Amino acid sequence: MQPNDIPTPHLATLNTTEPPLSREEFEARLREKGTSYHIHHPIHKMMADGQLTQAQIQRWVANRYLYQVAIPVKDANILANCPDRELRREWIQRILDHDGYAIGGQQDDGGIEAWIHLGEAVGLTREDIMSERLVSPAARFAVDAYVNFARSRPWQDAVASSLTELFAPHIHQQRLDTWPDKYPWIQSEGLQYFRNRLTQARRDVAHGLRFTLDYFGQNRALQQRAIDILQFKIDVLWSLADAIMLQTCDIEIKGPKV
Ligand SMILES: O=C(O)c1cc(C(=O)O)c2c(n1)C(=O)C(=O)c1cc(C(=O)O)[nH]c1-2
């Protein structure tokens, strides 16, 4: 059995008889998936409307830390599975963005550190965040599903699974636009993570999208596969948001407040 034949319940059966979509139509079908992006999840709508309490924002940041630390591990799995040197040269930047680096006198603390600063800006300690003691088990399952996908699927599939980043600049911008007004108690320096991602995500997605349109554009079956993979990733993010929402609802009812 070839890696591409591994049955995955998330991926629909491929219809190989239809003609391929044009490049434009294929891209449009991927972008259409934005209608089910987690920006539409109730917890993110409440967040943008200013309806979350400090304890709920804290739990969101603490749970999302799992995703932040998983991303470079996911990307390292892509590098490990990918024999294409050109792709690795570009992809490695994603690991540096999140882990940071100190190379040849140049230094950047990276996105994980910026996320910890966000946690401190919302009133958590570094220990609260890094110990992962506030995270929900269901959030861990959702994030693990993404890392396992990148570890076990062909690297081309894992590249396509990053394409939720098509929609990420919008949600980062939404937080930058709404938080200062809705949550004035959050120190503004803490929002630097979102500012950094505006450019990083646009750069990443230009690369990931170009690759996906080229590789998965070869025939209709591969195009459908990429669309299904994007849906799988959208489901990962939605499940993560579900997990956080359930947990934050619980703390509002019976504590403990952090
Ligand atoms: O805050 C968000 O809503 C959000 C969503 C996503 C995404 O759509 O996957 C990413 C990020 N943030 C993010 O900060 C990030 O670095 C990132 C990397 C990736 C990826 O799949 O490789 N997604 C995302």
mmCIF file of all heavy atoms in Angstrom, residues 37-39 44 60 64 67-68 71-72 74-75 78 91 94 97-98 111 115 146 158-169 171-172 175 193-194 197 200-201 204 233-234 237, ligand 1:
data_model
loop_
_atom_site.group_PDB
_atom_site.id
_atom_site.type_symbol
_atom_site.label_atom_id
_atom_site.label_comp_id
_atom_site.label_asym_id
_atom_site.label_seq_id
_atom_site.Cartn_x
_atom_site.Cartn_y
_atom_site.Cartn_z
ATOM 1 N N TYR A 37 -13.955 28.594 8.801
ATOM 2 C CA TYR A 37 -12.753 28.868 9.610
ATOM 3 C C TYR A 37 -13.157 29.223 11.046
ATOM 4 O O TYR A 37 -14.254 29.755 11.276
ATOM 5 C CB TYR A 37 -11.984 30.034 8.982
ATOM 6 C CG TYR A 37 -10.601 30.258 9.556
ATOM 7 C CD1 TYR A 37 -9.670 29.231 9.594
ATOM 8 C CD2 TYR A 37 -10.222 31.509 10.040
ATOM 9 C CE1 TYR A 37 -8.394 29.447 10.112
ATOM 10 C CE2 TYR A 37 -8.946 31.730 10.543
ATOM 11 C CZ TYR A 37 -8.043 30.682 10.584
ATOM 12 O OH TYR A 37 -6.784 30.893 11.094
ATOM 13 N N HIS A 38 -12.249 29.007 11.994
ATOM 14 C CA HIS A 38 -12.605 29.191 13.413
ATOM 15 C C HIS A 38 -12.870 30.655 13.805
ATOM 16 O O HIS A 38 -13.287 30.899 14.936
ATOM 17 C CB HIS A 38 -11.584 28.515 14.341
ATOM 18 C CG HIS A 38 -10.225 29.128 14.365
ATOM 19 N ND1 HIS A 38 -9.234 28.680 15.210
ATOM 20 C CD2 HIS A 38 -9.671 30.137 13.654
ATOM 21 C CE1 HIS A 38 -8.145 29.397 15.024
ATOM 22 N NE2 HIS A 38 -8.371 30.276 14.088
ATOM 23 N N ILE A 39 -12.669 31.584 12.870
ATOM 24 C CA ILE A 39 -13.084 32.963 13.175
ATOM 25 C C ILE A 39 -14.601 33.005 13.404
ATOM 26 O O ILE A 39 -15.113 33.882 14.109
ATOM 27 C CB ILE A 39 -12.656 33.938 12.042
ATOM 28 C CG1 ILE A 39 -12.713 35.391 12.519
ATOM 29 C CG2 ILE A 39 -13.489 33.746 10.783
ATOM 30 C CD1 ILE A 39 -12.077 36.402 11.555
ATOM 31 N N HIS A 44 -14.697 32.661 19.388
ATOM 32 C CA HIS A 44 -13.973 33.762 18.744
ATOM 33 C C HIS A 44 -14.898 34.936 18.452
ATOM 34 O O HIS A 44 -14.467 36.095 18.478
ATOM 35 C CB HIS A 44 -13.253 33.258 17.486
ATOM 36 C CG HIS A 44 -12.094 32.356 17.817
ATOM 37 N ND1 HIS A 44 -11.765 31.237 17.107
ATOM 38 C CD2 HIS A 44 -11.194 32.412 18.852
ATOM 39 C CE1 HIS A 44 -10.703 30.649 17.667
ATOM 40 N NE2 HIS A 44 -10.360 31.333 18.733
ATOM 41 N N TRP A 60 -7.936 30.734 27.172
ATOM 42 C CA TRP A 60 -7.735 30.655 25.719
ATOM 43 C C TRP A 60 -6.240 30.728 25.408
ATOM 44 O O TRP A 60 -5.707 29.916 24.642
ATOM 45 C CB TRP A 60 -8.515 31.786 25.024
ATOM 46 C CG TRP A 60 -8.367 31.791 23.541
ATOM 47 C CD1 TRP A 60 -9.067 31.022 22.645
ATOM 48 C CD2 TRP A 60 -7.447 32.586 22.759
ATOM 49 N NE1 TRP A 60 -8.634 31.288 21.367
ATOM 50 C CE2 TRP A 60 -7.647 32.246 21.406
ATOM 51 C CE3 TRP A 60 -6.491 33.542 23.079
ATOM 52 C CZ2 TRP A 60 -6.922 32.830 20.370
ATOM 53 C CZ3 TRP A 60 -5.761 34.124 22.051
ATOM 54 C CH2 TRP A 60 -5.984 33.770 20.712
ATOM 55 N N ARG A 64 -4.107 27.705 23.802
ATOM 56 C CA ARG A 64 -3.518 27.939 22.485
ATOM 57 C C ARG A 64 -1.993 27.777 22.492
ATOM 58 O O ARG A 64 -1.379 27.554 21.452
ATOM 59 C CB ARG A 64 -3.911 29.332 21.973
ATOM 60 C CG ARG A 64 -5.100 29.358 21.031
ATOM 61 C CD ARG A 64 -4.765 28.687 19.706
ATOM 62 N NE ARG A 64 -3.611 29.304 19.078
ATOM 63 C CZ ARG A 64 -3.672 30.234 18.135
ATOM 64 N NH1 ARG A 64 -4.843 30.635 17.701
ATOM 65 N NH2 ARG A 64 -2.575 30.745 17.600
ATOM 66 N N TYR A 67 -0.876 24.755 20.748
ATOM 67 C CA TYR A 67 -0.780 24.868 19.283
ATOM 68 C C TYR A 67 0.527 25.546 18.901
ATOM 69 O O TYR A 67 1.209 25.125 17.960
ATOM 70 C CB TYR A 67 -1.990 25.670 18.785
ATOM 71 C CG TYR A 67 -2.204 25.673 17.291
ATOM 72 C CD1 TYR A 67 -2.462 24.496 16.607
ATOM 73 C CD2 TYR A 67 -2.186 26.859 16.561
ATOM 74 C CE1 TYR A 67 -2.683 24.496 15.237
ATOM 75 C CE2 TYR A 67 -2.412 26.872 15.197
ATOM 76 C CZ TYR A 67 -2.659 25.688 14.535
ATOM 77 O OH TYR A 67 -2.876 25.699 13.174
ATOM 78 N N GLN A 68 0.888 26.584 19.659
ATOM 79 C CA GLN A 68 2.115 27.331 19.337
ATOM 80 C C GLN A 68 3.344 26.422 19.405
ATOM 81 O O GLN A 68 4.195 26.476 18.522
ATOM 82 C CB GLN A 68 2.298 28.508 20.308
ATOM 83 C CG GLN A 68 1.146 29.474 20.369
ATOM 84 C CD GLN A 68 0.672 29.960 19.025
ATOM 85 O OE1 GLN A 68 -0.501 29.880 18.703
ATOM 86 N NE2 GLN A 68 1.597 30.428 18.215
ATOM 87 N N ILE A 71 3.466 23.724 16.446
ATOM 88 C CA ILE A 71 3.682 24.122 15.058
ATOM 89 C C ILE A 71 5.119 23.829 14.578
ATOM 90 O O ILE A 71 5.299 23.191 13.537
ATOM 91 C CB ILE A 71 3.262 25.589 14.818
ATOM 92 C CG1 ILE A 71 1.734 25.674 14.842
ATOM 93 C CG2 ILE A 71 3.789 26.106 13.478
ATOM 94 C CD1 ILE A 71 1.202 27.087 14.926
ATOM 95 N N PRO A 72 6.160 24.237 15.325
ATOM 96 C CA PRO A 72 7.503 23.903 14.822
ATOM 97 C C PRO A 72 7.790 22.399 14.811
ATOM 98 O O PRO A 72 8.569 21.928 13.969
ATOM 99 C CB PRO A 72 8.454 24.654 15.764
ATOM 100 C CG PRO A 72 7.624 25.071 16.925
ATOM 101 C CD PRO A 72 6.209 25.140 16.481
ATOM 102 N N LYS A 74 5.484 20.141 14.136
ATOM 103 C CA LYS A 74 4.802 19.766 12.886
ATOM 104 C C LYS A 74 5.688 20.086 11.682
ATOM 105 O O LYS A 74 5.861 19.276 10.776
ATOM 106 C CB LYS A 74 3.468 20.521 12.862
ATOM 107 C CG LYS A 74 2.607 20.340 11.640
ATOM 108 C CD LYS A 74 2.881 21.307 10.520
ATOM 109 C CE LYS A 74 2.585 22.765 10.837
ATOM 110 N NZ LYS A 74 2.790 23.650 9.657
ATOM 111 N N ASP A 75 6.274 21.280 11.680
ATOM 112 C CA ASP A 75 7.104 21.684 10.541
ATOM 113 C C ASP A 75 8.385 20.853 10.456
ATOM 114 O O ASP A 75 8.868 20.565 9.357
ATOM 115 C CB ASP A 75 7.409 23.186 10.622
ATOM 116 C CG ASP A 75 6.182 24.018 10.284
ATOM 117 O OD1 ASP A 75 5.435 23.613 9.369
ATOM 118 O OD2 ASP A 75 5.946 25.062 10.928
ATOM 119 N N ILE A 78 7.562 17.808 8.617
ATOM 120 C CA ILE A 78 7.509 18.027 7.166
ATOM 121 C C ILE A 78 8.930 17.988 6.586
ATOM 122 O O ILE A 78 9.196 17.320 5.589
ATOM 123 C CB ILE A 78 6.795 19.354 6.834
ATOM 124 C CG1 ILE A 78 5.318 19.253 7.255
ATOM 125 C CG2 ILE A 78 6.932 19.700 5.351
ATOM 126 C CD1 ILE A 78 4.498 20.510 6.992
ATOM 127 N N TRP A 91 10.924 26.216 3.855
ATOM 128 C CA TRP A 91 10.060 25.788 4.966
ATOM 129 C C TRP A 91 10.727 25.974 6.320
ATOM 130 O O TRP A 91 10.079 26.229 7.333
ATOM 131 C CB TRP A 91 9.644 24.320 4.763
ATOM 132 C CG TRP A 91 8.333 24.028 5.409
ATOM 133 C CD1 TRP A 91 8.145 23.550 6.677
ATOM 134 C CD2 TRP A 91 7.025 24.239 4.855
ATOM 135 N NE1 TRP A 91 6.802 23.443 6.934
ATOM 136 C CE2 TRP A 91 6.096 23.856 5.837
ATOM 137 C CE3 TRP A 91 6.566 24.708 3.620
ATOM 138 C CZ2 TRP A 91 4.718 23.932 5.627
ATOM 139 C CZ3 TRP A 91 5.199 24.777 3.404
ATOM 140 C CH2 TRP A 91 4.292 24.395 4.408
ATOM 141 N N ARG A 94 9.911 28.670 8.914
ATOM 142 C CA ARG A 94 8.752 28.586 9.825
ATOM 143 C C ARG A 94 9.187 28.134 11.219
ATOM 144 O O ARG A 94 8.634 28.580 12.216
ATOM 145 C CB ARG A 94 7.718 27.602 9.260
ATOM 146 C CG ARG A 94 7.157 28.056 7.926
ATOM 147 C CD ARG A 94 6.235 27.003 7.343
ATOM 148 N NE ARG A 94 5.820 27.400 5.997
ATOM 149 C CZ ARG A 94 4.569 27.488 5.586
ATOM 150 N NH1 ARG A 94 3.587 27.174 6.389
ATOM 151 N NH2 ARG A 94 4.286 27.853 4.360
ATOM 152 N N ASP A 97 10.845 31.056 12.861
ATOM 153 C CA ASP A 97 9.841 32.051 13.292
ATOM 154 C C ASP A 97 9.278 31.706 14.669
ATOM 155 O O ASP A 97 9.036 32.597 15.489
ATOM 156 C CB ASP A 97 8.666 32.100 12.306
ATOM 157 C CG ASP A 97 9.021 32.799 11.011
ATOM 158 O OD1 ASP A 97 10.049 33.495 10.967
ATOM 159 O OD2 ASP A 97 8.257 32.630 10.028
ATOM 160 N N HIS A 98 9.043 30.437 14.918
ATOM 161 C CA HIS A 98 8.397 30.055 16.180
ATOM 162 C C HIS A 98 9.383 29.775 17.298
ATOM 163 O O HIS A 98 9.164 30.169 18.439
ATOM 164 C CB HIS A 98 7.463 28.850 15.955
ATOM 165 C CG HIS A 98 6.233 29.230 15.205
ATOM 166 N ND1 HIS A 98 5.163 29.828 15.817
ATOM 167 C CD2 HIS A 98 5.922 29.160 13.901
ATOM 168 C CE1 HIS A 98 4.237 30.096 14.909
ATOM 169 N NE2 HIS A 98 4.670 29.708 13.736
ATOM 170 N N GLY A 111 8.297 33.179 18.035
ATOM 171 C CA GLY A 111 6.865 33.283 18.297
ATOM 172 C C GLY A 111 6.405 32.627 19.595
ATOM 173 O O GLY A 111 5.457 33.099 20.224
ATOM 174 N N TRP A 115 4.376 34.454 22.421
ATOM 175 C CA TRP A 115 3.105 33.956 22.969
ATOM 176 C C TRP A 115 3.145 33.954 24.504
ATOM 177 O O TRP A 115 2.153 34.275 25.174
ATOM 178 C CB TRP A 115 2.795 32.550 22.437
ATOM 179 C CG TRP A 115 1.359 32.190 22.685
ATOM 180 C CD1 TRP A 115 0.846 31.524 23.762
ATOM 181 C CD2 TRP A 115 0.232 32.541 21.858
ATOM 182 N NE1 TRP A 115 -0.531 31.423 23.649
ATOM 183 C CE2 TRP A 115 -0.921 32.036 22.494
ATOM 184 C CE3 TRP A 115 0.103 33.228 20.648
ATOM 185 C CZ2 TRP A 115 -2.198 32.204 21.956
ATOM 186 C CZ3 TRP A 115 -1.168 33.387 20.113
ATOM 187 C CH2 TRP A 115 -2.297 32.882 20.768
ATOM 188 N N TYR A 146 -3.109 17.239 14.549
ATOM 189 C CA TYR A 146 -2.401 17.985 13.490
ATOM 190 C C TYR A 146 -0.950 17.501 13.366
ATOM 191 O O TYR A 146 -0.455 17.233 12.273
ATOM 192 C CB TYR A 146 -2.466 19.487 13.802
ATOM 193 C CG TYR A 146 -1.929 20.390 12.720
ATOM 194 C CD1 TYR A 146 -1.979 20.033 11.383
ATOM 195 C CD2 TYR A 146 -1.371 21.623 13.038
ATOM 196 C CE1 TYR A 146 -1.490 20.878 10.389
ATOM 197 C CE2 TYR A 146 -0.894 22.474 12.059
ATOM 198 C CZ TYR A 146 -0.946 22.099 10.735
ATOM 199 O OH TYR A 146 -0.464 22.930 9.762
ATOM 200 N N ALA A 158 0.900 17.310 4.186
ATOM 201 C CA ALA A 158 1.150 18.158 5.359
ATOM 202 C C ALA A 158 1.331 19.619 4.950
ATOM 203 O O ALA A 158 0.887 20.528 5.658
ATOM 204 C CB ALA A 158 2.367 17.640 6.115
ATOM 205 N N VAL A 159 1.959 19.836 3.797
ATOM 206 C CA VAL A 159 2.087 21.217 3.296
ATOM 207 C C VAL A 159 0.700 21.806 3.071
ATOM 208 O O VAL A 159 0.389 22.924 3.513
ATOM 209 C CB VAL A 159 2.925 21.255 1.986
ATOM 210 C CG1 VAL A 159 2.799 22.608 1.295
ATOM 211 C CG2 VAL A 159 4.391 20.945 2.280
ATOM 212 N N ALA A 160 -0.171 21.050 2.408
ATOM 213 C CA ALA A 160 -1.526 21.561 2.133
ATOM 214 C C ALA A 160 -2.291 21.832 3.431
ATOM 215 O O ALA A 160 -3.110 22.757 3.504
ATOM 216 C CB ALA A 160 -2.294 20.560 1.265
ATOM 217 N N SER A 161 -1.994 21.053 4.466
ATOM 218 C CA SER A 161 -2.744 21.227 5.720
ATOM 219 C C SER A 161 -2.416 22.557 6.415
ATOM 220 O O SER A 161 -3.146 22.990 7.297
ATOM 221 C CB SER A 161 -2.498 20.050 6.675
ATOM 222 O OG SER A 161 -1.194 20.088 7.200
ATOM 223 N N SER A 162 -1.327 23.202 5.996
ATOM 224 C CA SER A 162 -0.995 24.504 6.609
ATOM 225 C C SER A 162 -1.838 25.638 6.021
ATOM 226 O O SER A 162 -1.763 26.776 6.492
ATOM 227 C CB SER A 162 0.491 24.823 6.413
ATOM 228 O OG SER A 162 0.759 25.126 5.048
ATOM 229 N N LEU A 163 -2.654 25.326 5.015
ATOM 230 C CA LEU A 163 -3.317 26.415 4.276
ATOM 231 C C LEU A 163 -4.436 27.139 5.024
ATOM 232 O O LEU A 163 -4.976 28.119 4.513
ATOM 233 C CB LEU A 163 -3.853 25.900 2.934
ATOM 234 C CG LEU A 163 -2.793 25.685 1.852
ATOM 235 C CD1 LEU A 163 -3.465 25.362 0.518
ATOM 236 C CD2 LEU A 163 -1.897 26.910 1.684
ATOM 237 N N THR A 164 -4.755 26.698 6.226
ATOM 238 C CA THR A 164 -5.672 27.528 7.027
ATOM 239 C C THR A 164 -5.061 28.920 7.235
ATOM 240 O O THR A 164 -5.780 29.872 7.539
ATOM 241 C CB THR A 164 -5.961 26.900 8.396
ATOM 242 O OG1 THR A 164 -4.725 26.441 8.944
ATOM 243 C CG2 THR A 164 -6.952 25.749 8.282
ATOM 244 N N GLU A 165 -3.749 29.005 7.060
ATOM 245 C CA GLU A 165 -3.090 30.312 7.197
ATOM 246 C C GLU A 165 -3.572 31.325 6.156
ATOM 247 O O GLU A 165 -3.308 32.515 6.294
ATOM 248 C CB GLU A 165 -1.574 30.147 7.125
ATOM 249 C CG GLU A 165 -0.997 29.609 8.420
ATOM 250 C CD GLU A 165 0.402 30.119 8.633
ATOM 251 O OE1 GLU A 165 1.328 29.505 8.084
ATOM 252 O OE2 GLU A 165 0.565 31.145 9.325
ATOM 253 N N LEU A 166 -4.256 30.841 5.114
ATOM 254 C CA LEU A 166 -4.902 31.762 4.175
ATOM 255 C C LEU A 166 -5.821 32.733 4.920
ATOM 256 O O LEU A 166 -5.982 33.881 4.529
ATOM 257 C CB LEU A 166 -5.804 30.972 3.210
ATOM 258 C CG LEU A 166 -5.206 30.313 1.980
ATOM 259 C CD1 LEU A 166 -6.247 29.392 1.358
ATOM 260 C CD2 LEU A 166 -4.784 31.382 0.979
ATOM 261 N N PHE A 167 -6.435 32.211 5.975
ATOM 262 C CA PHE A 167 -7.476 32.966 6.673
ATOM 263 C C PHE A 167 -6.970 33.595 7.974
ATOM 264 O O PHE A 167 -7.681 34.371 8.608
ATOM 265 C CB PHE A 167 -8.673 32.051 6.984
ATOM 266 C CG PHE A 167 -9.010 31.116 5.852
ATOM 267 C CD1 PHE A 167 -8.924 29.732 5.988
ATOM 268 C CD2 PHE A 167 -9.388 31.632 4.609
ATOM 269 C CE1 PHE A 167 -9.210 28.884 4.928
ATOM 270 C CE2 PHE A 167 -9.679 30.787 3.542
ATOM 271 C CZ PHE A 167 -9.591 29.401 3.703
ATOM 272 N N ALA A 168 -5.738 33.223 8.383
ATOM 273 C CA ALA A 168 -5.241 33.650 9.697
ATOM 274 C C ALA A 168 -4.988 35.158 9.817
ATOM 275 O O ALA A 168 -5.284 35.742 10.867
ATOM 276 C CB ALA A 168 -4.002 32.843 10.083
ATOM 277 N N PRO A 169 -4.453 35.840 8.769
ATOM 278 C CA PRO A 169 -4.211 37.279 8.959
ATOM 279 C C PRO A 169 -5.475 38.043 9.353
ATOM 280 O O PRO A 169 -5.423 38.985 10.146
ATOM 281 C CB PRO A 169 -3.681 37.732 7.585
ATOM 282 C CG PRO A 169 -3.012 36.511 7.033
ATOM 283 C CD PRO A 169 -3.894 35.355 7.483
ATOM 284 N N ILE A 171 -7.957 36.965 11.246
ATOM 285 C CA ILE A 171 -8.289 36.793 12.677
ATOM 286 C C ILE A 171 -7.243 37.496 13.557
ATOM 287 O O ILE A 171 -7.569 38.068 14.601
ATOM 288 C CB ILE A 171 -8.498 35.301 13.051
ATOM 289 C CG1 ILE A 171 -9.282 35.181 14.359
ATOM 290 C CG2 ILE A 171 -7.201 34.521 13.126
ATOM 291 C CD1 ILE A 171 -9.826 33.778 14.639
ATOM 292 N N HIS A 172 -5.983 37.516 13.098
ATOM 293 C CA HIS A 172 -4.974 38.262 13.871
ATOM 294 C C HIS A 172 -5.331 39.755 13.868
ATOM 295 O O HIS A 172 -5.268 40.429 14.901
ATOM 296 C CB HIS A 172 -3.571 38.063 13.283
ATOM 297 C CG HIS A 172 -3.047 36.658 13.409
ATOM 298 N ND1 HIS A 172 -3.097 35.943 14.581
ATOM 299 C CD2 HIS A 172 -2.450 35.834 12.508
ATOM 300 C CE1 HIS A 172 -2.556 34.739 14.396
ATOM 301 N NE2 HIS A 172 -2.167 34.653 13.155
ATOM 302 N N ARG A 175 -8.123 40.675 16.173
ATOM 303 C CA ARG A 175 -7.716 40.815 17.586
ATOM 304 C C ARG A 175 -7.018 42.158 17.808
ATOM 305 O O ARG A 175 -7.259 42.829 18.820
ATOM 306 C CB ARG A 175 -6.796 39.655 17.977
ATOM 307 C CG ARG A 175 -7.508 38.317 17.934
ATOM 308 C CD ARG A 175 -6.542 37.149 18.109
ATOM 309 N NE ARG A 175 -7.209 35.898 17.785
ATOM 310 C CZ ARG A 175 -6.675 34.906 17.080
ATOM 311 N NH1 ARG A 175 -5.433 34.983 16.640
ATOM 312 N NH2 ARG A 175 -7.362 33.809 16.833
ATOM 313 N N TYR A 193 2.748 39.305 19.194
ATOM 314 C CA TYR A 193 2.656 38.044 18.444
ATOM 315 C C TYR A 193 1.765 38.214 17.219
ATOM 316 O O TYR A 193 2.123 37.802 16.116
ATOM 317 C CB TYR A 193 2.117 36.899 19.324
ATOM 318 C CG TYR A 193 2.006 35.615 18.518
ATOM 319 C CD1 TYR A 193 3.114 34.798 18.340
ATOM 320 C CD2 TYR A 193 0.817 35.260 17.870
ATOM 321 C CE1 TYR A 193 3.050 33.658 17.546
ATOM 322 C CE2 TYR A 193 0.750 34.122 17.073
ATOM 323 C CZ TYR A 193 1.862 33.323 16.929
ATOM 324 O OH TYR A 193 1.785 32.202 16.132
ATOM 325 N N PHE A 194 0.590 38.843 17.435
ATOM 326 C CA PHE A 194 -0.366 38.983 16.330
ATOM 327 C C PHE A 194 0.190 39.920 15.253
ATOM 328 O O PHE A 194 0.003 39.675 14.066
ATOM 329 C CB PHE A 194 -1.711 39.513 16.847
ATOM 330 C CG PHE A 194 -2.329 38.651 17.921
ATOM 331 C CD1 PHE A 194 -2.794 39.199 19.115
ATOM 332 C CD2 PHE A 194 -2.448 37.282 17.743
ATOM 333 C CE1 PHE A 194 -3.357 38.400 20.098
ATOM 334 C CE2 PHE A 194 -3.014 36.466 18.729
ATOM 335 C CZ PHE A 194 -3.464 37.031 19.908
ATOM 336 N N ARG A 197 2.662 38.006 13.133
ATOM 337 C CA ARG A 197 2.080 36.981 12.264
ATOM 338 C C ARG A 197 1.441 37.559 11.010
ATOM 339 O O ARG A 197 1.265 36.838 10.023
ATOM 340 C CB ARG A 197 1.023 36.154 13.028
ATOM 341 C CG ARG A 197 1.551 35.136 13.994
ATOM 342 C CD ARG A 197 2.622 34.230 13.469
ATOM 343 N NE ARG A 197 2.225 33.378 12.352
ATOM 344 C CZ ARG A 197 3.054 32.619 11.654
ATOM 345 N NH1 ARG A 197 4.334 32.590 11.937
ATOM 346 N NH2 ARG A 197 2.607 31.885 10.648
ATOM 347 N N GLN A 200 4.292 37.297 8.609
ATOM 348 C CA GLN A 200 4.805 35.919 8.503
ATOM 349 C C GLN A 200 3.778 35.006 7.842
ATOM 350 O O GLN A 200 4.108 34.186 6.980
ATOM 351 C CB GLN A 200 5.165 35.382 9.895
ATOM 352 C CG GLN A 200 6.380 36.074 10.504
ATOM 353 C CD GLN A 200 6.597 35.702 11.964
ATOM 354 O OE1 GLN A 200 5.767 35.034 12.584
ATOM 355 N NE2 GLN A 200 7.716 36.140 12.525
ATOM 356 N N ALA A 201 2.512 35.134 8.241
ATOM 357 C CA ALA A 201 1.480 34.241 7.695
ATOM 358 C C ALA A 201 1.270 34.495 6.215
ATOM 359 O O ALA A 201 1.092 33.556 5.435
ATOM 360 C CB ALA A 201 0.165 34.421 8.463
ATOM 361 N N ASP A 204 4.161 32.851 4.418
ATOM 362 C CA ASP A 204 4.029 31.384 4.457
ATOM 363 C C ASP A 204 2.977 30.904 3.476
ATOM 364 O O ASP A 204 3.164 29.913 2.774
ATOM 365 C CB ASP A 204 3.563 30.917 5.852
ATOM 366 C CG ASP A 204 4.639 31.044 6.899
ATOM 367 O OD1 ASP A 204 5.788 31.384 6.549
ATOM 368 O OD2 ASP A 204 4.313 30.805 8.087
ATOM 369 N N LYS A 233 -7.986 20.241 8.467
ATOM 370 C CA LYS A 233 -7.271 21.207 9.319
ATOM 371 C C LYS A 233 -8.239 22.221 9.932
ATOM 372 O O LYS A 233 -8.079 22.615 11.103
ATOM 373 C CB LYS A 233 -6.192 21.884 8.494
ATOM 374 C CG LYS A 233 -5.499 23.041 9.158
ATOM 375 C CD LYS A 233 -4.664 22.644 10.349
ATOM 376 C CE LYS A 233 -3.933 23.862 10.889
ATOM 377 N NZ LYS A 233 -3.181 24.583 9.873
ATOM 378 N N ILE A 234 -9.232 22.622 9.148
ATOM 379 C CA ILE A 234 -10.258 23.525 9.676
ATOM 380 C C ILE A 234 -10.973 22.849 10.848
ATOM 381 O O ILE A 234 -11.271 23.484 11.869
ATOM 382 C CB ILE A 234 -11.217 23.924 8.531
ATOM 383 C CG1 ILE A 234 -10.551 25.033 7.711
ATOM 384 C CG2 ILE A 234 -12.583 24.327 9.033
ATOM 385 C CD1 ILE A 234 -11.307 25.457 6.488
ATOM 386 N N LEU A 237 -8.855 23.034 14.027
ATOM 387 C CA LEU A 237 -8.948 24.336 14.705
ATOM 388 C C LEU A 237 -10.306 24.521 15.370
ATOM 389 O O LEU A 237 -10.408 25.096 16.467
ATOM 390 C CB LEU A 237 -8.685 25.470 13.705
ATOM 391 C CG LEU A 237 -7.252 25.569 13.165
ATOM 392 C CD1 LEU A 237 -7.153 26.657 12.110
ATOM 393 C CD2 LEU A 237 -6.254 25.832 14.290
HETATM 394 O O1 LIG B 1 -4.469 32.607 15.845
HETATM 395 C C1 LIG B 1 -4.965 31.912 14.952
HETATM 396 O O2 LIG B 1 -6.181 31.857 14.760
HETATM 397 C C2 LIG B 1 -4.038 31.127 14.116
HETATM 398 C C3 LIG B 1 -4.485 30.214 13.180
HETATM 399 C C4 LIG B 1 -3.547 29.491 12.456
HETATM 400 C C5 LIG B 1 -4.086 28.591 11.418
HETATM 401 O O3 LIG B 1 -5.028 29.017 10.724
HETATM 402 O O4 LIG B 1 -3.649 27.463 11.283
HETATM 403 C C6 LIG B 1 -2.171 29.651 12.712
HETATM 404 C C7 LIG B 1 -1.826 30.656 13.638
HETATM 405 N N1 LIG B 1 -2.740 31.355 14.317
HETATM 406 C C8 LIG B 1 -0.471 30.977 13.916
HETATM 407 O O5 LIG B 1 -0.203 31.899 14.695
HETATM 408 C C9 LIG B 1 0.562 30.233 13.300
HETATM 409 O O6 LIG B 1 1.741 30.504 13.527
HETATM 410 C C10 LIG B 1 0.209 29.193 12.421
HETATM 411 C C11 LIG B 1 1.001 28.249 11.739
HETATM 412 C C12 LIG B 1 0.117 27.423 11.126
HETATM 413 C C13 LIG B 1 0.384 26.214 10.336
HETATM 414 O O7 LIG B 1 -0.577 25.472 10.088
HETATM 415 O O8 LIG B 1 1.550 25.956 10.008
HETATM 416 N N2 LIG B 1 -1.152 27.827 11.379
HETATM 417 C C14 LIG B 1 -1.115 28.911 12.150
#
